[in-house]
């Protein structure tokens, strides 16, 4: 016989029960775990679950918490739906490069729930895409304090952060967020290739090679990583043994002499650097991801590398 786990919106009461006016009622989003413990998360002033999730013993939960199905149906669910619509509109505006409309929707969502991961990521990316680096950094500082972001479902958001930061030439910041994504999933060849390219643009050829080789070890048939390796070999950045073949100072001097290499598509032998795409898997639905990966070894939209 299947065990029904408690979930939904519940209330708890504290205070002096002899005097009704002294009793305080709090609402909680509840999810019973298979371990038997119950996870509770408080509702904020906008009646949306937010903040830390607390574990309490099942016996204590049954004694002190009471189901509130009508409050969920009439208040919490409509608020959650409106919040989700704000974020969807923001993401739609951002995809259409309507940055100020995107900012409005994401900011509205953050005002309702300042710990909403998708809204904060969207707002930060919107600022980055407008070149407003300081405002973006303020959002990022708030994000790294949120425990909710460190789950596998948000891996692609860290990756997208890294892409946007790289495009703004914030290489240390880009690598920071790429490595956050790596902590959540360390066997993604596409992510390793993105990290490799970020190290290259930073001028760290050793780091570039390490992550390029990791990408190819995860998927030896990964064509894009193979193209990037050809680029490094043909241009003398690495040798056939996979070792650094150019000093950092020499690398920086070569960029000073040929700055156009950072801004234009340049052909080196048979390898064109813009043929090496950058991966952004944010448009994949979770259930589509594994099928897509098995079919092509790639992850959705390709973003060209604009050296």
């Amino acid at each position: 016989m299947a065990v029904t786990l408690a979930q939904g919106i519940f209330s708890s009461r504290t205070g002096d029960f002899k005097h009704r006016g002294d009793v305080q009622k709090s609402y909680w989003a509840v999810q019973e775990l298979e371990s038997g413990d119950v996870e509770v998360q408080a509702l904020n002033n906008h009646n949306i679950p937010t903040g830390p999730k607390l574990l309490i013993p099942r016996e204590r939960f049954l004694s002190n918490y009471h189901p509130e199905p009508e409050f969920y149906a009439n208040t919490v669910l409509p608020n959650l739906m409106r919040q989700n619509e704000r974020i969807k509109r923001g993401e739609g505006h951002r995809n259409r490069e309507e940055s100020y409309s995107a900012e409005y929707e994401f900011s509205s969502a953050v005002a309702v729930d300042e710990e909403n991961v998708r809204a904060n990521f969207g707002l930060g990316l919107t600022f980055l895409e407008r070149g407003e680096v300081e405002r973006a950094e303020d959002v990022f500082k708030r994000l790294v304090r949120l425990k909710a972001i460190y789950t596998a479902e948000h891996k692609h958001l860290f990756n997208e952060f890294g892409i946007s930061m790289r495009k703004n030439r914030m290489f240390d910041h880009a690598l920071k967020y790429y490595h956050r994504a790596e902590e959540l999933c360390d066997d993604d060849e596409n992510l390793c290739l993105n990290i490799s390219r970020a190290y290259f643009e930073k001028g760290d050829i050793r780091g570039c090679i390490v992550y390029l080789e990791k990408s190819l070890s995860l998927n030896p048939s990964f064509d894009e990583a193979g193209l990037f390796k050809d680029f490094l070999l043909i241009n003398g950045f690495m040798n056939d043994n996979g070792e650094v073949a150019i000093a950092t100072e020499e690398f920086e001097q070569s960029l000073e002499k040929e700055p156009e290499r950072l801004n234009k598509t340049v052909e080196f032998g048979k390898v064109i650097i813009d043929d090496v795409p950058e991966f952004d898997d944010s448009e994949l639905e979770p259930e589509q991801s594994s099928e897509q990966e098995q079919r092509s070894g790639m992850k959705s939209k390709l973003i060209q590398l604009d050296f």
Side-chain angles (χ1 to χ4, degrees):
M1 179 176 171
V3 177
T4 301
L5 301 179
Q7 63 178 348
I9 300 299
F10 287 69
S11 65
S12 64
R13 293 170 176 80
T14 58
D16 185 353
F17 291 94
K18 294 181 180 180
H19 303 86
R20 287 189 176 183
D22 295 332
V23 175
Q24 293 182 333
K25 188 176 184 180
S26 301
Y27 291 97
W28 306 83
V30 168
Q31 176 66 58
E32 185 178 2
L33 308 178
E34 292 184 358
S35 65
D37 289 329
V38 178
E39 188 177 71
V40 299
Q41 184 179 32
L43 305 192
N44 65 12
N45 292 335
H46 299 278
N47 290 314
I48 286 180
T50 189
K53 295 179 180 180
L54 308 175
L55 285 180
I56 61 173
R58 193 171 190 272
E59 293 74 17
R60 178 184 164 193
F61 169 75
L62 293 174
S63 300
N64 296 288
Y65 290 77
H66 311 279
E68 298 281 356
E70 291 186 4
F71 185 73
Y72 170 75
N74 297 331
T75 302
V76 178
L77 181 59
N79 287 349
L80 289 172
M81 293 175 66
R82 283 191 288 269
Q83 178 75 328
N84 191 50
E85 287 302 315
R86 291 184 193 99
I87 296 170
K88 282 187 175 180
R89 288 196 299 269
E91 292 170 342
H93 287 307
R94 193 176 147 254
N95 289 335
R96 294 189 296 272
E97 299 183 354
E98 299 165 353
S99 66
Y100 289 98
S101 295
E103 179 189 352
Y104 173 79
E105 296 293 351
F106 288 134
S107 295
S108 297
V110 171
V112 171
D113 178 9
E114 64 179 11
E115 297 189 6
N116 186 284
V117 174
R118 283 174 61 199
N120 276 289
F121 267 111
L123 186 60
L125 288 166
T126 299
F127 289 147
L128 267 182
E129 288 160 2
R130 287 212 304 257
E132 298 180 18
V133 175
E134 290 186 4
R135 297 182 72 186
E137 286 188 328
D138 287 340
V139 176
F140 301 151
K141 288 175 183 176
R142 180 167 66 241
L143 269 170
V144 296
R145 294 194 295 266
L146 303 182
K147 292 183 179 180
I149 65 174
Y150 300 109
T151 59
E153 66 181 292
H154 297 134
K155 178 195 67 175
H156 72 275
L157 296 175
F158 281 111
N159 184 52
E160 194 172 355
F161 256 2
I163 291 172
S164 292
M165 287 178 168
R166 185 196 63 76
K167 289 180 179 295
N168 280 274
R169 309 195 59 73
M170 300 165 62
F171 303 127
D172 288 332
H173 285 71
L175 287 164
K176 175 182 178 181
Y177 284 94
Y178 279 143
H179 286 306
R180 294 280 192 184
E182 185 185 17
E183 291 173 10
L184 302 176
C185 180
D186 64 357
D187 61 352
D188 187 324
E189 68 270 24
N190 302 318
L191 175 61
C192 288
L193 180 58
N194 287 350
I195 295 174
S196 175
R197 275 196 302 270
Y199 273 120
F200 176 83
E201 289 200 57
K202 182 184 176 184
D204 185 343
I205 304 302
R206 187 175 303 280
C208 168
I209 293 173
V210 167
Y211 275 90
L212 176 60
E213 295 294 352
K214 182 177 180 180
S215 177
L216 286 168
S217 70
L218 290 168
N219 182 1
S221 302
F222 191 12
D223 290 340
E224 286 70 23
L227 278 172
F228 192 44
K229 185 172 184 178
D230 288 345
F231 165 76
L232 296 176
L233 287 166
I234 289 171
N235 291 280
F237 295 113
M238 66 180 288
N239 60 30
D240 292 334
N241 296 322
E243 300 168 338
V244 177
I246 184 173
T248 301
E249 296 78 6
E250 186 180 351
F251 174 75
E252 292 175 349
Q253 290 172 5
S254 71
L255 296 182
E256 290 176 2
K257 292 178 180 178
E258 300 182 79
E260 67 274 9
R261 288 170 63 177
L262 291 174
N263 302 306
K264 298 179 181 179
T265 299
V266 182
E267 185 172 356
F268 298 105
K270 296 182 179 180
V271 181
I272 301 175
I273 196 61
D274 273 0
D275 285 342
V276 187
E278 188 159 37
F279 284 87
D280 174 5
D281 58 358
S282 60
E283 292 187 349
L284 277 186
E285 296 294 331
E287 62 270 16
Q288 296 174 324
S289 180
S290 59
E291 178 183 350
Q292 179 80 358
E293 292 171 24
Q294 292 171 2
R295 186 167 61 249
S296 66
M298 295 160 59
K299 291 190 176 176
S300 184
K301 182 175 65 176
L302 304 183
I303 297 180
Q304 295 298 317
L305 182 67
D306 52 350
F307 281 9

